[in-house]
Amino acid sequence: MNRRRLGPGSVVTTGLGYDVAAVDEQQRPPLPTDLDELLETLRSRVRDRREAGDYPSGLEVNLEAHFQRIVGTRASSDRSQFRAKLDRLAAFSSFSPDRIQTWSKLPGGSAIHRGVGKVTGRQTQGVLDQVQQFADALRDVLDELADTATDDHDHSHPDLVGMVDVLVERWASYERAPVESAAGMADLHRRIEALEAREARRQFRPWFKESRFAEEFRGSWDELAERYRDLAERLGQSAPVFDLGCGRGEFLTLLKELGIEASGIEIDPELAEEGRGRGLAVEQGDGLAHLATLVDGALGSIVLIQVIEHLTAQEAADLALLARDKLRPGGKLLIETVNPQSLYVFAHPFYVDPTHERPVHPAYLEFLFREAGFESIELLWRAPPPHDDVLETPADDDGVRAANVRRLNHLLFAPQDYALIATR
């Protein structure tokens, strides 16, 4: 029921779905005794309160309906239909968040609906629990009434009329709630559609091929195979390996050559197909979502080569817990990414890729996986800038200039990448 304060005095809740103020008589002039004058005074007060917005919507309609039930005659009904109607009511009195639709006609819309559902899941379930408790209690009372009202004795039950009136009023207020909820859900639906539209505009859907981008900016197949061979060899005793975001399959090919069992997943359909064309076990799909479906402790290693900088901050945090759960004891997590401690990377490789979210600092990444429960963490510094780009130390310095050049080189030309190896 609603609770509203209509004026001075305490609030009194009625069974009609609205509130009446218990007015302090000392704060108002006494009502006139003449009937016409009394009616005019009451009309004036009603007008004042209506203009002030104190009366809830539909008050007169509710009062009229209630008055008719009090003074009117109740038509006889076929009581044999009472139980059938109660059975039909019971079929619709089960509430669950699973019955809330999450489909959407926009790209990525269903994922956004599910995301909103996760954020508001506890509040939604709390509301449904309260509605379910009310529905269960109401059904129990109606069952008792049905058993009493549908007996074979040919006599009336006038004492039940008042009870039925109360239940009808409460049920009417319950029936009105979905209308208000529907309006709220419609508003929420409009907001979600607007969010979907903004998300659709934010998404990057290039017309060029990802394989061409990789060839242009990441290097040839042979160059990448040589660059990552040392990392692949570190996983020799940690099969099976799951390569999340495996791209064209360069790292999977190295593992295959070393006789290490491995599979991968790639979100880009073209790159995934290219990997399968090379005889690699590659699926197309979302890596984190797929990882979450695997059996806990099923993996010996998880690999992300130049992937974590594409994830949001929340996805990176989720990855830490997923990796902890999916790796067996002693399993390894291998992550290679750009090194934000080298300013060189911001002028060269990092911003070349428009899908990079943000660089991930090695200190944060080490903290993240240590907090997630990994036993040991090792950092490897990789891919130094070209020698010709690094400042030369002056030959005839007095020691100070050489020290300053070394500091600048450390700040500007630190290794472009780092690899983190965390052991479960």
Side-chain angles (χ1 to χ4, degrees), residues 279-291:
L280 304 172
V282 178
E283 292 189 30
Q284 189 274 321
D286 182 278
L288 290 179
H290 182 81
L291 184 61

Side-chain angles (χ1 to χ4, degrees), residues 270-283:
E270 181 185 339
L271 296 181
E273 182 60 33
E274 184 175 343
R276 287 192 293 269
R278 296 177 180 272
L280 304 172
V282 178
E283 292 189 30

Side-chain angles (χ1 to χ4, degrees), residues 4-292:
R4 269 178 81 199
R5 190 176 296 277
L6 301 183
S10 59
V11 174
V12 177
T13 304
T14 73
L16 297 176
Y18 54 87
D19 303 321
V20 178
V23 180
D24 187 345
E25 293 297 335
Q26 295 180 355
Q27 299 182 23
R28 291 187 180 276
L31 292 172
T33 56
D34 181 79
L35 180 59
D36 292 337
E37 187 179 357
L38 174 61
L39 290 175
E40 182 56 34
T41 300
L42 292 176
R43 292 191 186 100
S44 176
R45 292 185 182 179
V46 168
R47 286 195 299 270
D48 292 343
R49 288 187 175 180
R50 182 182 289 111
E51 293 172 358
D54 290 332
Y55 290 137
S57 176
L59 175 62
E60 287 88 347
V61 175
N62 289 336
L63 286 173
E64 176 65 20
H66 189 65
F67 178 78
Q68 292 300 329
R69 277 193 294 274
I70 294 174
V71 302
T73 58
R74 185 178 302 277
S76 61
S77 61
D78 183 4
R79 290 177 295 178
S80 65
Q81 302 297 318
F82 197 5
R83 174 60 63 184
K85 292 180 179 179
L86 285 180
D87 292 341
R88 183 173 181 271
L89 173 63
F92 292 96
S93 61
S94 177
F95 304 89
S96 169
D98 294 335
R99 295 169 62 183
I100 300 175
Q101 294 182 350
T102 60
W103 64 269
S104 174
K105 60 185 179 181
L106 295 177
S110 297
I112 293 177
H113 277 282
R114 290 193 295 271
V116 172
K118 289 181 180 179
V119 172
T120 62
R122 181 177 299 177
Q123 292 82 357
T124 301
Q125 187 60 55
V127 172
L128 292 179
D129 289 343
Q130 295 179 56
V131 174
Q132 186 69 65
Q133 292 172 7
F134 175 77
D136 291 342
L138 179 60
R139 189 169 60 250
D140 290 341
V141 174
L142 291 175
D143 283 338
E144 292 292 332
L145 286 175
D147 293 338
T148 305
T150 57
D151 61 20
D152 295 331
H153 297 85
D154 188 18
H155 63 276
S156 62
H157 299 275
D159 57 310
L160 295 182
V161 173
M163 295 175 61
V164 172
D165 272 334
V166 172
L167 287 174
V168 168
E169 285 294 349
R170 292 191 178 183
W171 188 253
S173 67
Y174 173 70
E175 288 178 330
R176 286 193 297 272
V179 175
E180 299 173 358
S181 299
M185 289 300 295
D187 180 63
L188 179 59
H189 183 66
R190 286 192 295 270
R191 294 186 183 188
I192 290 177
E193 284 190 335
L195 179 61
E196 291 172 345
R198 287 196 296 270
E199 175 65 16
R201 290 193 298 269
R202 191 185 71 85
Q203 290 178 356
F204 179 62
R205 293 181 289 273
W207 48 263
F208 55 82
K209 294 183 177 181
E210 287 292 330
S211 57
R212 279 288 302 122
F213 181 86
E215 292 172 5
E216 184 74 19
F217 294 106
R218 295 202 64 202
S220 68
W221 186 280
D222 292 338
E223 289 172 340
L224 292 176
E226 185 61 29
R227 184 185 306 172
Y228 293 117
R229 186 173 299 277
D230 62 322
L231 294 180
E233 291 172 348
R234 284 175 167 263
L235 305 180
Q237 304 301 317
S238 302
V241 179
F242 179 67
D243 189 350
L244 195 156
C246 61
R248 298 175 295 179
E250 299 95 339
F251 199 78
L252 287 175
T253 299
L254 286 170
L255 296 172
K256 184 178 181 180
E257 291 176 358
L258 295 170
I260 302 172
E261 178 188 356
S263 62
I265 189 166
E266 169 56 44
I267 197 168
D268 183 85
E270 181 185 339
L271 296 181
E273 182 60 33
E274 184 175 343
R276 287 192 293 269
R278 296 177 180 272
L280 304 172
V282 178
E283 292 189 30
Q284 189 274 321
D286 182 278
L288 290 179
H290 182 81
L291 184 61

